[in-house]
Amino acid sequence: MAKGATKKTTSTKKTKDPNAPKRAMSAFFFWMQENREKLKKPGMGVADVAKAAGVEWAKVTDKAKWEKKASDDKKRYEKELAAYKGEK
C-alpha cells in the first residue's frame, strides 16, 4: 500500500430481531423519565437536556428508589431473554 492510503473495509450491520425483548433501563433513565419536564427549558436541545440531567443526577444523594426500579427491570429483562432464547 502506498503511503497515506487507507484500506477500505466493508461491514454489514447486524439486523435486530424485532421479537427480542427490550433492554433493561438504568437507574438514571428511570430518574430521567420523572424529571425530564422539570429540566427542559424552551430552546434546549436533546443534548442540552441530557447534560443538565447529568449534572442534576450527580447531585442526587438518595438513588435507592431508582436503583430498585432498575434492578426490577433487569430481572424482567433476564426473564424475558431466557424465554426468548428458549423459543429459538
Side-chain angles (χ1 to χ4, degrees), residues 28 32 36 39-40 43-55:
F28 172 74
M32 187 73 169
R36 181 176 284 114
L39 296 169
K40 269 207 254 184
M44 285 180 89
V46 175
D48 297 328
V49 174
K51 287 176 189 175
V55 170

Side-chain angles (χ1 to χ4, degrees), residues 9-38:
T9 59
T10 58
S11 62
T12 57
K13 187 175 180 180
K14 185 178 171 186
T15 58
K16 184 181 183 314
D17 184 356
N19 298 324
K22 297 262 189 210
R23 294 288 307 251
M25 287 197 319
S26 68
F28 172 74
F29 281 103
F30 279 110
W31 176 84
M32 187 73 169
Q33 279 183 333
E34 292 182 22
N35 295 286
R36 181 176 284 114
E37 292 305 317
K38 289 184 237 175

Side-chain angles (χ1 to χ4, degrees), residues 31 35 53-64 66:
W31 176 84
N35 295 286
V55 170
E56 291 301 314
W57 175 249
K59 294 178 186 176
V60 174
T61 55
D62 185 21
K63 299 178 181 179
W66 298 286

